[in-house]
Amino acid sequence: MTPDPKSERRSERARRAILDAAFDLVSRKGFAKVTIEAIAAQAGVGKPTIYRWWRSKGAVVLEAMNEELGDDFAFPDTGDIAADLTTQITAVTQRLITGRISEAFKGVMGEAQNDPALMKAFRETILEPSIAECRARLDSAVAAGQLRSDVPTDVMVDLFYAPIHYRHFLGFGDDAVRRSADLVQDVLLGLQPRSDAG
Amino acid sequence: MTPDPKSERRSERARRAILDAAFDLVSRKGFAKVTIEAIAAQAGVGKPTIYRWWRSKGAVVLEAMNEELGDDFAFPDTGDIAADLTTQITAVTQRLITGRISEAFKGVMGEAQNDPALMKAFRETILEPSIAECRARLDSAVAAGQLRSDVPTDVMVDLFYAPIHYRHFLGFGDDAVRRSADLVQDVLLGLQPRSDAG
């Protein structure tokens, strides 16, 4: 069967309108206050059109967030690992707190605590690609002798990123989340080769 | 007006029955599947009785979780900070993953992402008392020369606890959460006084 190009264009337009409406509504009203009905109304489609493509509000909002993020998870590489980690972690905290995706992220993660399929989709589309980029950068810093080689880089990723998400999820407030970038120095104290310690 | 002791006893019995029902249902079915109606039915009270004392399902379950935890947040003190942190963090991860409060905790934290009053109550009744106990233990380790004195102990608390919650909230799976206690050694690498580094 030949696909009908006109209907494919129509589908793509509807999909785009749904994701735009979901992202806009969640950003303005917060995840909890947005319904599938409201997304459908703003997108100019029926509710069944949404449920044909997504299983839940969380799934629509995750995809909208993904489109907003794009697929560029590249980690900065100036040759100075301390500076690059600070740059990157500052950018991530800004994005979480004040960025356009902040409400969507909070909503999706809240839902994902009780929805394993949504958590799996979040990990596959956002978390794991980000971790892979970070590990690649840490590997090159280990190779350059800027980080010790006896702590696995996946453990290092956890040590650098955990404080941001811990402070964010456990309600420490925006200032504390923003200051997560300051912790890079404290974590580095333990991860730099001992020979540098003087 | 003299309070009526019989009606006070009745109230306390109802309150207890509601908290027991909430905890039991959430532990067995998971937070998302439990309704206020189901809690009321199992407790043998009407829905209005629940809403007279609590504003939401999250609030009832948080209080049920608090009763289960008790008010003992004491941190072990054997004189060896590395051993005590490992003991405590192992206990916390076990409680989060397999403990009786695991479902309640996941549910409350999911809700709290979109409910600031619930987050505030969680912080005041559970998180802040735990942090205070941990800081007191870290302060005594700093005084004993087992930890460096130039990193504030509130930052140290974040470094030790963040990996558990980060792995738990971001869906790393039970094994990774359990292995958070292994990270104590990696974090300590940076927090022990340099003179010990050899």
Side-chain angles (χ1 to χ4, degrees):
Chain A
M1 198 181 95
T2 324
D4 169 1
K6 221 196 289 182
S7 115
E8 279 192 0
R9 272 200 305 276
R10 242 191 340 259
S11 282
E12 178 51 29
R13 260 206 313 276
R15 189 185 150 275
R16 193 62 267 163
I18 292 163
L19 294 176
D20 287 347
F23 195 83
D24 174 64
L25 286 167
V26 168
S27 303
R28 288 190 294 115
K29 295 173 189 281
F31 185 90
K33 292 209 176 68
V34 175
T35 58
I36 289 278
E37 284 82 353
I39 297 171
Q42 178 159 325
V45 303
K47 260 174 76 172
T49 306
I50 297 187
Y51 282 118
R52 196 184 314 141
W53 290 323
W54 295 280
R55 43 182 287 282
S56 67
K57 180 172 76 164
V60 186
V61 175
L62 174 64
E63 189 163 340
M65 190 171 116
N66 271 334
E67 300 258 323
E68 180 74 18
L69 284 170
D71 55 3
D72 182 11
F73 295 100
F75 208 94
D77 189 353
T78 65
D80 174 349
I81 187 65
D84 292 348
L85 280 164
T86 303
T87 302
Q88 184 69 356
I89 286 177
T90 303
V92 170
T93 58
Q94 283 304 110
R95 202 146 68 178
L96 282 183
I97 301 167
T98 51
R100 274 174 49 79
I101 67 152
S102 139
E103 286 299 329
F105 182 72
K106 218 163 51 176
V108 167
M109 293 314 298
E111 290 285 290
Q113 300 311 312
N114 300 299
D115 179 345
L118 185 63
M119 181 66 91
K120 184 162 180 285
F122 160 74
R123 291 184 57 88
E124 287 173 357
T125 57
I126 298 183
L127 191 65
E128 284 160 13
S130 312
I131 289 175
E133 287 293 332
C134 183
R135 284 190 72 174
R137 181 65 191 88
L138 293 172
D139 284 336
S140 78
V142 171
Q146 295 181 348
L147 294 175
R148 49 197 303 156
S149 55
D150 59 341
V151 176
T153 51
D154 61 337
V155 166
M156 293 189 191
V157 174
D158 286 8
L159 296 178
F160 286 115
Y161 276 90
I164 307 174
H165 294 285
Y166 162 74
R167 291 175 169 192
H168 190 246
F169 282 126
L170 272 69
F172 281 69
D174 290 356
D175 274 358
V177 175
R178 196 172 288 116
R179 282 186 278 101
S180 302
D182 300 347
L183 300 187
V184 168
Q185 298 306 322
D186 297 312
V187 176
L188 277 172
L189 287 175
L191 297 181
Q192 277 155 348
R194 282 291 178 192
S195 55
D196 288 6
Chain B
M1 199 181 96
T2 325
D4 169 2
K6 220 194 292 180
S7 115
E8 279 192 1
R9 273 199 305 275
R10 243 193 336 260
S11 281
E12 178 51 30
R13 260 205 313 276
R15 189 183 151 276
R16 195 60 270 163
I18 293 163
L19 294 176
D20 287 346
F23 196 82
D24 174 65
L25 286 167
V26 168
S27 302
R28 287 190 294 116
K29 294 171 188 281
F31 184 90
K33 292 210 176 68
V34 175
T35 59
I36 289 277
E37 284 80 355
I39 296 171
Q42 178 159 327
V45 303
K47 260 176 76 173
T49 306
I50 297 187
Y51 282 118
R52 198 185 312 143
W53 291 323
W54 295 280
R55 44 181 287 282
S56 67
K57 180 172 76 166
V60 186
V61 176
L62 174 63
E63 188 163 341
M65 190 170 114
N66 272 332
E67 301 257 324
E68 179 74 17
L69 283 170
D71 55 3
D72 181 12
F73 295 101
F75 207 96
D77 189 353
T78 65
D80 175 347
I81 188 64
D84 291 348
L85 280 163
T86 304
T87 303
Q88 183 69 356
I89 287 177
T90 303
V92 171
T93 57
Q94 283 303 110
R95 202 146 69 178
L96 283 183
I97 301 167
T98 50
R100 274 173 50 79
I101 68 152
S102 138
E103 286 299 327
F105 182 73
K106 218 164 50 176
V108 166
M109 293 313 299
E111 290 284 288
Q113 300 311 311
N114 299 300
D115 179 345
L118 186 63
M119 182 66 91
K120 186 164 179 285
F122 161 73
R123 292 184 56 88
E124 287 173 356
T125 57
I126 299 183
L127 191 65
E128 285 161 14
S130 313
I131 289 176
E133 287 292 333
C134 183
R135 284 190 72 175
R137 181 65 192 89
L138 294 172
D139 284 336
S140 77
V142 170
Q146 295 181 350
L147 294 175
R148 49 197 303 156
S149 55
D150 59 342
V151 176
T153 50
D154 61 337
V155 166
M156 293 188 190
V157 174
D158 287 8
L159 296 177
F160 286 114
Y161 276 90
I164 306 174
H165 294 285
Y166 162 75
R167 291 175 169 191
H168 190 245
F169 283 126
L170 272 69
F172 281 69
D174 290 356
D175 274 357
V177 175
R178 196 171 288 116
R179 281 186 278 102
S180 301
D182 300 347
L183 300 188
V184 167
Q185 299 305 325
D186 296 312
V187 176
L188 276 172
L189 287 175
L191 296 181
Q192 277 155 348
R194 280 294 179 192
S195 56
D196 289 7

